[in-house]
Amino acid sequence: KQPGYVFAGWNTMADGSGTAYADRTSVRNLTSVNGETVILYAQWKPIQYQIVYDKNHPDATGAMTPVNTSYDRTIWIEDCRFLLDRQAFISWNTKPDGSGTEYQSGTRVKNLTEKHGDVITLYAQWKNNVYTVAFDRNAKNATGTMAAMEGEYDQKTALPKNQYRYEGHQFIGWNTEADGSGTSYRNGEQLLQPVTDKNDTLTLYAQWETIEYQ
């Protein structure tokens, strides 16, 4: 036996250029020279196997054609052509849960199996896309600064406390519209899949209430 290869018959020449014989073939008169030794060389051919790309999520879309290859042939792991909303592709793995062997797109590989006719399934690995939350003081005379923050879709993200100050006004929360007609969020509220624009950015506008004195 030869790992990664299957027996393909016998030949009178090591390189297979001589007379070929199938295994268990009945033969006679292999030579006319008395006492000569006839050597038959085993011939081997590489196993054939297939690589299948799996989207690994019921909501993923797109298709990828299986790749047929053979032992000792170098191929490239293909780029992912599957799409999954609000998820980013990170790698391929031989296990759906990512606990197997990891392969990056574009990696040169060979000999992923020694079994003829084997099917190697590579499962797409996904992680949540991130979005940006930007804060707007929403008043010309308001002061202070607040850095933008990132959140992950499908993961709760707590809003920071308001750091803006507006003399004569009290902060009453955030809103996705400057005039307060959009979605409201409280100070420190946790976000989970907020509605963002096409650039995955959520802008929250500070909402102010005039302080009344008696």
Side-chain angles (χ1 to χ4, degrees):
K1 292 183 178 181
Q2 184 174 354
Y5 287 79
V6 291
F7 177 72
W10 303 97
N11 200 283
T12 55
M13 300 295 289
D15 63 1
S17 61
T19 303
Y21 297 97
D23 201 22
R24 298 179 181 276
T25 298
S26 297
V27 295
R28 64 178 181 177
N29 303 333
L30 296 185
T31 180
S32 58
V33 178
N34 183 40
E36 184 177 11
T37 299
V38 177
I39 300 176
L40 296 182
Y41 297 89
Q43 302 297 297
W44 305 94
K45 65 179 181 180
I47 64 163
Q48 304 293 306
Y49 64 96
Q50 188 178 69
I51 298 175
V52 172
Y53 294 94
D54 190 298
K55 61 187 65 173
N56 198 27
H57 196 288
D59 296 329
T61 60
M64 294 184 67
T65 304
V67 176
N68 296 312
T69 187
S70 58
Y71 200 78
D72 278 341
R73 178 188 174 193
T74 299
I75 61 172
W76 284 260
I77 298 296
E78 295 192 6
D79 292 333
C80 180
R81 293 192 291 278
F82 301 129
L83 295 174
L84 182 56
D85 187 39
R86 293 183 174 177
Q87 297 280 310
F89 171 81
I90 54 176
S91 66
W92 300 102
N93 200 285
T94 54
K95 297 288 185 181
D97 63 1
S99 63
T101 303
E102 181 183 81
Y103 296 99
Q104 295 294 333
S105 297
T107 301
R108 291 165 57 99
V109 297
K110 67 177 181 179
N111 304 344
L112 298 186
T113 181
E114 295 180 354
K115 182 180 178 182
H116 183 63
D118 205 1
V119 176
I120 305 299
T121 302
L122 298 182
Y123 298 89
Q125 302 296 300
W126 306 95
K127 75 171 184 177
N128 294 329
N129 261 340
V130 297
Y131 59 88
T132 300
V133 181
F135 302 95
D136 191 304
R137 60 176 64 96
N138 196 27
K140 182 179 179 181
N141 295 323
T143 60
T145 59
M146 290 187 65
M149 58 173 284
E150 286 189 344
E152 287 188 19
Y153 288 108
D154 297 321
Q155 298 291 327
K156 290 184 177 180
T157 302
L159 291 174
K161 290 185 177 181
N162 171 51
Q163 300 298 316
Y164 298 134
R165 295 292 180 268
Y166 186 14
E167 186 176 355
H169 294 76
Q170 178 181 350
F171 175 79
I172 59 173
W174 303 100
N175 198 281
T176 56
E177 298 293 338
D179 63 3
S181 63
T183 302
S184 296
Y185 294 98
R186 299 183 305 276
N187 226 5
E189 184 171 343
Q190 291 192 330
L191 306 181
L192 178 69
Q193 293 187 351
V195 177
T196 61
D197 65 18
K198 63 182 179 180
N199 296 316
D200 286 323
T201 297
L202 172 69
T203 301
L204 296 181
Y205 298 89
Q207 302 297 298
W208 305 99
E209 183 176 76
T210 301
I211 299 175
E212 295 183 2
Y213 297 93
Q214 291 183 350

